[in-house]
Amino acid sequence: MSQRPSRPLPTGWLVLWTVLLAVALGGFMALGTWQVHRMHWKHALIARVDGFQHAPPTPAPGADAWSGLRGELDEYRRVALQGVLLNHEILVQANTRLGAGFWVMTPLRRDDGSIVFVNRGFVDAEHRDPGRRGETPPAGPIRIEGLLRLSQPGGGFLRSNAPAEGRWYSRDVAAMAQFLGLQPVAPYFVDQSANGAADAHAPAPRRWPVPGLTVVHFRDAHLSYALTWYALAAMTAAAMVYGARQEWRRRAKGAI
């Protein structure tokens, strides 16, 4: 029994499928190209931050430079600042290689009266009470070196900061300053660097808080994403060519 030859697609369906495949092809190509651009941007970011890590610290930006700060240009820059630590602190939930605990955010008043929050380091739940840390912050003028970080407004993933309840999930310097009644506040904070390698890497730190735990790492998977999108584009193009050839053969047979 002979098989009936398949009939050509109606013109309307042919146009519809062609448009859909063309849109899909264009979308996959655009996404792949976007990932390539992101890859170049990420590589430039990694190179910039790596350069920051090997450069000497520069003075932390003053009030006249606050409005010009940009994450892609300034974040993770090594800075130094001088001032007096105020008798306030805010604990922000954190997860580090030492486990779960809190960042100790302490405001520092500079000579010009401006406020810069300093992330003095990490404490675990046992040492969240300052009286159990065995060491009090310096009372006089001090010099601090660390990494400049821009404010992190809002909170964490699906969790909002609740200042009145003492629950902080992100280092939102504007909200922290408002809660403590401090002004003017810089739109950045400084992750204090470790004073000594032993403090930063000891499995059981002797001094709390523990500075120098900032992880400077950027995930770089854009090339694999780009190749995936381009592969889908190639498969879509192949499907279009195959479908076009099959439809041409059907129509050629129908014309005989």
Side-chain angles (χ1 to χ4, degrees), residues 52-59 76-80 145-148 193:
F52 285 162
Q53 304 308 301
H54 298 90
T58 59
Y76 297 102
R77 175 153 50 100
R78 291 186 64 199
V79 297
E145 293 184 7
L147 303 179
L148 185 150
S193 299

Side-chain angles (χ1 to χ4, degrees), residues 65-135:
W66 291 352
S67 61
L69 293 177
R70 299 292 182 269
E72 63 273 14
L73 298 177
D74 299 291
E75 193 144 31
Y76 297 102
R77 175 153 50 100
R78 291 186 64 199
V79 297
L81 69 163
Q82 295 179 339
V84 177
L85 291 172
L86 304 183
N87 189 27
H88 301 288
E89 70 177 33
I90 288 178
L91 301 180
V92 181
Q93 289 195 15
N95 283 290
T96 72
R97 60 179 177 77
L98 298 180
F102 306 90
W103 297 124
V104 179
M105 304 297 296
T106 303
L108 178 144
R109 189 181 300 278
R110 306 176 78 176
D111 293 340
D112 62 0
S114 63
I115 301 295
V116 177
F117 274 90
V118 176
N119 175 13
R120 294 176 45 235
F122 171 83
V123 294
D124 57 17
E126 182 182 352
H127 296 90
R128 63 179 298 168
D129 181 355
R132 303 192 64 181
R133 296 174 194 165
E135 185 172 312

Side-chain angles (χ1 to χ4, degrees), residues 21 25 231-245:
L21 288 174
L25 175 61
L232 289 172
M235 292 169 62
T236 303
M240 292 179 68
V241 172
Y242 176 79
R245 291 182 61 184

Side-chain angles (χ1 to χ4, degrees), residues 79-230:
V79 297
L81 69 163
Q82 295 179 339
V84 177
L85 291 172
L86 304 183
N87 189 27
H88 301 288
E89 70 177 33
I90 288 178
L91 301 180
V92 181
Q93 289 195 15
N95 283 290
T96 72
R97 60 179 177 77
L98 298 180
F102 306 90
W103 297 124
V104 179
M105 304 297 296
T106 303
L108 178 144
R109 189 181 300 278
R110 306 176 78 176
D111 293 340
D112 62 0
S114 63
I115 301 295
V116 177
F117 274 90
V118 176
N119 175 13
R120 294 176 45 235
F122 171 83
V123 294
D124 57 17
E126 182 182 352
H127 296 90
R128 63 179 298 168
D129 181 355
R132 303 192 64 181
R133 296 174 194 165
E135 185 172 312
T136 57
I142 61 169
R143 182 179 187 274
I144 289 177
E145 293 184 7
L147 303 179
L148 185 150
R149 306 290 306 281
L150 294 186
S151 181
Q152 302 167 347
F157 180 67
L158 299 179
R159 297 180 296 180
S160 299
N161 292 327
E165 302 171 18
R167 291 187 286 109
W168 296 86
Y169 303 104
S170 72
R171 291 164 286 188
D172 185 340
V173 295
M176 291 189 293
Q178 181 179 7
F179 178 70
L180 296 177
L182 301 173
Q183 289 295 336
V185 60
Y188 62 86
F189 60 93
V190 174
D191 277 345
Q192 184 174 341
S193 299
N195 294 324
D199 293 330
H201 299 285
R206 296 181 180 180
R207 294 194 308 165
W208 301 90
V210 183
L213 296 180
T214 305
V215 176
V216 183
H217 174 73
F218 302 97
R219 190 166 181 266
D220 183 16
H222 297 293
L223 179 59
S224 62
Y225 293 153
L227 293 176
T228 299
W229 291 121
Y230 284 142

